[in-house]
Amino acid sequence: MLGWVYMPQVIIVSNRLPVSVAKENGKLRFYPSTGGLATGLSSYVNNRKSTWIGWPGVASDELTADDRQAIVTELAKHNCTPVFLSKKQIDDFYNGYSNQVLWPLFHNLRRGEVSTATRKRFWQAYRAVNQKFAEATLNLSERGSHIWVHDYQLMLVPEMIRDARPDVILGFFLHIPWPTAKSLSRLPEYKKLVGGILGADVAGFHTQGYVANFLDSAQAAGFSQTDHSEVVVGERSVRVSDFPMGIDYKKYATATKSRTVQDAVRRYREKYKKRKVIVSVDRLDPSKGLAERLKAYASLLEEYPKLQGKVVFAMIVAPSRMEVPAYKRLDKRLLALVDEINRNYGRPDWQPVDYMNVAQPFEEVTALFQVADVAFITPLKDGMNLAAKEFVASSRRRGGVLILSETAGAAEELQDALLVNPAKPETMVAALHRGLTMRRRELRRRLRRMQQQLSTNTVQEWAKGFVDTLNRPVPGTVSLTRTVKDKLRHQLVNDYRQAEKRLLMLDYDGSLVPFSEDYREANPPQSLLDLLERLSVEADNDVVLISGRSADDLQKWFGQLPLSLVAEHGASYRKADGKAWQTIEKVDTRWKRAIQPIFEKYTELTPGAHIEVKPHSLVWHYRAASPYYASKHAVTIKRLVKPMLKSYGLELLQGNKALEVKNSRIGKGVAAQRWLNHKYDFVLAIGDDATDEDLFSVIPASSAAIKTYSIKVGRGRTLADYRVPSSKEVNSLLRKLH
């Protein structure tokens, strides 16, 4: 009989659906929505049990009962479920609170005048619409459903769902920046927004900087947090992490083969003749720095008059949110600036700015990217900015230079772009001149490195990474993990004393001893050595110290004790009755030559960081480093190492303020099987971090024949059945066993 794999129901919840609806001349028209989200999540809604919930794009006031039924029927074919909103709800919830209150605040923009009474009305609509989305989700959810809520319009939805259905797995992802705690605190409802997001099991952001801001905001809102970027909400822990969103790289990289794109490329080359082409592609928005971009271009023409007549700025600005007053004012301002530049600098045979104030199809945008010498993408603030990544993926034969704001989330990944500060116009002018005069060799080198990065960090990988995080550990584990208190401690000690053959598997750092600022100084105290000796000399006990430490460290500290030692998370071991260390699996460590220089470079750039070189792994420790530089460079290391992991068969572990690269076939779970294959009637496993989850996963369930206790030290999601707060309680528990 063939086995089957259980696939949980997946529910995607976002403001808009991947299929939009319009009513034109009394008839309904269905068309695909734009954006990369639908591409990244398509594989998660193909399952017929799954669905995507969102607004279809047309006000319910315009629809008859028959229209609504037709929309429901058609969208069901695409596994979509509509949430119908009235014109007033759209005005107050979307145009009002979402885009006149939240959007400018989260992008550090000057907010328009919104009276207290109007803001309260907007807030009531925001809360009511969020409740409507939550109810639609609850109506379709079932026990164990995986629900992924998206973006700033729906920040209250996770908590609303959690209150009604604690038995689902919830994720939330924000596609825009998260502001500083100080900025956010100006909003009267900020605690409710933070609490709404914390209804999720996993909260995701584009960058580490946004993660840090959110953690600060959670603390300001009264929530505590652990050292593992987790926020404590009652008995739950919410994992907060960065998931930089990618693009459908293959779609853009292969667009050169399209006949439509090739025709468009020829048309643009004829149009712009042999001039240098600067391109920018955005939607109309105050956060995009569009006026600042035009002014910088005008300054370039003024400061470098030889460029006049030899360069053209092709600027696509797609209309957006024209119901919002600030967007209407920006539209008029841009038209005036374009007209001023073209009048001041233009000639009969040359128009300096080719302004396209209309949304362009994929083929046109890709063609422009391919003819561009420079992509000029300088938002004042942006959660990610996928247009920058699309330009890099589209640039093929000639290649082009990317100029990018350091305030865009994409800047953390695209370090080979010319990074500028949009608050300093002179940096944009200098970058434009450099980009237009850059040597072809340097240009191609920069472009090649960025393309390598983006080809591995695609939108599909982004979605998979988030869902994998949401799936780890198994649903329900958090609520089933019990804290070891007096009654449970008494039961554990009693089971231990009645057992005839016992196995104790213990982690070291963070479990038996607290973490040290310098990993090299975490020597075991004499009291711990005495305790381990008393436990291991008992004839009925097998004690195994199973650690990430090197064999040299373990041998030096514990070699004289009659217990078994497992080093480097399972790479090698020494049994209690033997003297020689044995390698569990012989592996090729030539990969160190590629990865160690990366660790060394960022150790030099991060005061307080250290590299630990073990026989089978490399560790970058940053516990003693400045939090700012540690966080910034840890992100960069992950990005640089990621493309190498698959080719060498490696995995990157995020430990407690440490990054470790090791062979993916080595793990504590595999190592533990050498002992678990023997017969025991009592098993105790204790650990504190992600590597110990591998150990917990192989511990058998407790039964009449065998009593098992897996114990997680500290907070955080876990596969362990029980929990204690710190290493101090671990030592106290172990002393009671003797």
Side-chain angles (χ1 to χ4, degrees):
M1 176 179 170
L2 293 173
W4 59 279
V5 178
Y6 169 71
M7 292 292 289
Q9 178 196 41
V10 176
I11 301 177
I12 307 297
V13 189
S14 64
N15 179 56
R16 293 297 299 270
L17 290 167
V19 178
S20 291
V21 183
K23 190 171 183 180
E24 300 168 352
N25 300 321
K27 294 184 178 181
L28 297 175
R29 180 171 70 89
F30 297 85
Y31 58 96
S33 302
T34 58
L37 188 61
T39 302
L41 299 178
S42 60
S43 61
Y44 296 98
V45 291
N46 289 337
N47 182 350
R48 60 185 178 82
K49 289 179 62 179
S50 303
T51 191
W52 192 318
I53 295 172
W55 177 53
V58 59
S60 59
D61 315 57
E62 302 176 27
L63 304 173
T64 66
D66 288 343
D67 288 337
R68 288 192 182 205
Q69 187 55 54
I71 289 171
V72 170
T73 301
E74 180 62 28
L75 290 179
K77 299 175 184 176
H78 303 274
N79 288 345
C80 292
T81 300
V83 174
F84 293 106
L85 301 178
S86 68
K87 180 69 167 61
K88 179 168 176 49
Q89 286 175 319
I90 296 165
D91 284 342
D92 288 352
F93 149 73
Y94 184 73
N95 296 326
Y97 197 79
S98 295
N99 291 315
Q100 291 186 58
V101 177
L102 293 179
W103 182 270
L105 174 64
F106 281 46
H107 287 84
N108 297 334
L109 299 172
R110 183 180 299 171
R111 285 187 284 170
E113 291 298 322
V114 177
S115 68
T116 301
T118 300
R119 188 189 52 72
K120 286 183 177 178
R121 187 183 85 240
F122 287 170
W123 166 250
Q124 289 170 355
Y126 183 87
R127 188 170 54 191
V129 171
N130 272 246
Q131 188 65 53
K132 198 166 186 178
F133 273 80
E135 288 170 357
T137 307
L138 290 167
N139 288 340
L140 294 172
S141 66
E142 57 190 38
R143 178 180 174 85
S145 293
H146 286 47
I147 301 171
W148 191 358
V149 183
H150 289 265
D151 226 2
Y152 66 106
Q153 304 96 340
L154 303 175
M155 289 192 283
L156 301 179
V157 170
E159 185 180 32
M160 291 173 171
I161 295 172
R162 174 70 60 196
D163 288 344
R165 287 218 73 140
D167 57 352
V168 297
I169 306 299
L170 263 168
F172 174 84
F173 188 83
L174 186 72
H175 293 263
I176 66 174
W178 187 271
T180 63
K182 183 178 179 180
S183 297
L184 187 68
S185 64
R186 299 176 193 145
L187 189 65
E189 301 87 17
Y190 86 93
K191 291 184 179 180
K192 294 176 182 176
L193 295 172
V194 171
I197 290 173
L198 291 176
D201 295 294
V202 177
F205 301 85
H206 280 303
T207 73
Q208 274 282 348
Y210 305 152
V211 168
N213 286 350
F214 180 79
L215 292 173
D216 289 344
S217 300
Q219 190 169 26
F223 296 95
S224 59
Q225 65 189 64
T226 72
D227 289 338
H228 300 277
S229 295
E230 293 175 338
V231 178
V232 181
V233 184
E235 292 296 314
R236 297 188 303 113
S237 285
V238 181
R239 184 179 298 159
V240 184
S241 189
D242 62 309
F243 301 88
M245 188 175 183
I247 61 170
D248 186 354
Y249 186 84
K250 186 177 180 181
K251 175 182 177 182
Y252 287 89
T254 59
T256 51
K257 300 176 182 178
S258 162
R259 176 61 63 85
T260 306
V261 172
Q262 291 171 354
D263 290 344
V265 167
R266 281 192 291 271
R267 188 173 70 251
Y268 282 119
R269 284 185 177 150
E270 289 173 8
K271 180 179 183 180
Y272 300 137
K273 302 185 173 15
K274 293 184 179 181
R275 296 185 176 99
K276 293 274 190 176
V277 180
I278 302 168
V279 168
S280 77
V281 178
D282 293 279
R283 62 180 182 78
L284 182 73
D285 194 282
S287 70
K288 300 297 183 182
L290 301 170
E292 291 79 1
R293 228 175 286 185
L294 283 167
K295 290 178 181 178
Y297 177 62
S299 296
L300 175 78
L301 297 177
E302 186 68 27
E303 293 179 27
Y304 300 94
K306 289 184 178 180
L307 289 175
Q308 294 180 22
K310 298 178 182 178
V311 65
V312 63
F313 186 9
M315 190 177 195
I316 296 176
V317 179
S320 172
R321 301 171 186 166
M322 297 304 291
E323 303 86 354
V324 179
Y327 289 71
K328 289 181 180 178
R329 291 194 296 270
L330 178 61
D331 185 46
K332 291 180 180 179
R333 187 182 179 201
L334 293 178
L335 288 169
L337 280 171
V338 169
D339 183 60
E340 181 183 340
I341 293 170
N342 284 339
R343 277 190 293 103
N344 289 347
Y345 298 99
R347 304 169 184 171
D349 64 337
W350 171 59
Q351 181 175 285
V353 183
D354 183 13
Y355 188 65
M356 292 165 267
N357 189 20
V358 63
Q360 297 287 345
F362 162 77
E363 291 80 8
E364 293 291 316
V365 172
T366 306
L368 264 177
F369 281 156
Q370 288 183 27
V371 302
D373 296 280
V374 174
F376 193 27
I377 301 175
T378 55
L380 303 178
K381 187 79 173 176
D382 219 336
M384 178 51 66
N385 196 297
L386 298 180
K389 296 186 174 186
E390 291 163 359
F391 166 74
V392 171
S394 300
S395 296
R396 305 313 288 169
R397 292 178 187 171
R398 294 173 61 225
V401 178
L402 172 62
I403 299 175
L404 180 64
S405 295
E406 61 188 25
T407 48
E412 285 196 5
E413 295 175 87
L414 302 178
Q415 292 287 308
D416 282 295
L418 298 183
L419 299 180
V420 299
N421 183 346
K424 297 180 178 179
E426 66 275 13
T427 66
M428 294 196 287
V429 176
L432 281 171
H433 185 256
R434 184 181 175 191
L436 291 168
T437 57
M438 185 179 289
R439 291 181 180 275
R440 186 69 60 189
R441 184 175 179 181
E442 180 185 356
L443 182 159
R444 287 175 175 164
R445 185 173 65 248
R446 287 171 173 267
L447 191 63
R448 187 167 57 249
R449 286 196 294 249
M450 290 190 289
Q451 288 177 337
Q452 181 182 15
Q453 161 66 18
L454 297 185
S455 66
T456 57
N457 189 29
T458 64
V459 68
Q460 293 86 356
E461 285 296 314
W462 165 80
K464 181 178 182 298
F466 190 96
V467 172
D468 286 349
T469 302
L470 199 60
N471 288 343
R472 193 174 63 245
V474 294
T477 298
V478 176
S479 59
L480 294 177
T481 303
R482 298 163 54 195
T483 301
V484 178
K485 294 183 178 179
D486 291 343
K487 185 176 180 181
L488 184 56
R489 187 183 296 110
H490 177 76
Q491 178 186 326
L492 186 155
V493 172
N494 188 54
D495 287 341
Y496 171 86
R497 289 175 178 167
Q498 291 186 17
E500 295 181 359
K501 190 61 177 173
R502 315 179 190 102
L503 174 63
L504 281 62
M505 310 193 80
L506 311 172
D507 175 49
Y508 180 63
D509 291 285
S511 299
L512 293 178
V513 295
F515 285 103
S516 172
E517 281 294 306
D518 189 336
Y519 74 94
R520 295 165 294 189
E521 297 176 358
N523 296 6
Q526 189 60 46
S527 59
L528 176 60
L529 294 173
D530 293 342
L531 173 59
L532 291 174
E533 183 172 18
R534 289 196 299 271
L535 289 170
S536 56
V537 296
E538 290 194 27
D540 297 332
N541 286 357
D542 283 341
V543 179
V544 184
L545 201 58
I546 183 165
S547 169
R549 289 280 178 170
S550 68
D552 287 344
D553 279 348
L554 296 183
Q555 182 65 36
K556 178 175 65 177
W557 292 338
F558 307 105
Q560 76 282 11
L561 299 180
L563 48 71
S564 297
L565 300 171
V566 177
E568 296 188 63
H569 309 298
S572 60
Y573 70 96
R574 190 215 71 177
K575 286 205 168 184
D577 55 0
K579 292 184 179 180
W581 281 84
Q582 299 183 53
T583 300
I584 291 179
E585 181 176 357
K586 290 185 178 181
V587 293
D588 184 354
T589 56
R590 285 178 292 180
W591 55 267
K592 289 183 181 179
R593 284 181 249 167
I595 293 178
Q596 190 166 337
I598 297 172
F599 277 27
E600 289 171 347
K601 175 182 176 180
Y602 289 96
T603 299
E604 291 178 8
L605 295 173
T606 315
H610 300 282
I611 301 175
E612 183 182 6
V613 181
K614 305 178 191 177
H616 300 89
S617 62
L618 285 175
V619 190
W620 192 67
H621 294 273
Y622 55 91
R623 173 168 295 279
S626 150
Y628 171 77
Y629 287 108
S631 174
K632 177 182 177 181
H633 293 150
V635 170
T636 305
I637 289 173
K638 289 179 184 177
R639 173 174 61 83
L640 294 174
V641 166
K642 183 179 177 182
M644 306 180 196
L645 299 179
K646 188 174 182 181
S647 58
Y648 286 111
L650 305 171
E651 65 178 335
L652 178 64
L653 298 176
Q654 175 67 68
N656 192 306
K657 297 187 178 177
L659 296 177
E660 180 162 7
V661 177
K662 70 176 187 66
N663 187 287
S664 60
R665 297 189 298 274
I666 293 172
K668 289 186 178 181
V670 174
Q673 292 292 356
R674 292 183 173 273
W675 286 270
L676 290 171
N677 288 336
H678 298 284
K679 189 174 182 181
Y680 296 97
D681 52 1
F682 178 91
V683 174
L684 172 65
I686 301 178
D688 73 294
D689 68 12
T691 63
D692 298 301
E693 297 302 314
D694 192 34
L695 171 61
F696 297 149
S697 70
V698 299
I699 301 300
S702 199
S703 66
I706 179 173
K707 301 299 180 185
T708 61
Y709 291 87
S710 52
I711 300 178
K712 160 84 171 179
V713 183
R715 296 190 179 274
R717 300 185 68 173
T718 182
L719 293 168
D721 294 321
Y722 307 102
R723 185 190 307 277
V724 294
S726 70
S727 59
K728 182 179 178 181
E729 281 72 19
V730 173
N731 280 264
S732 175
L733 175 63
L734 294 177
R735 281 194 293 270
K736 290 183 181 299
L737 299 183
H738 178 63

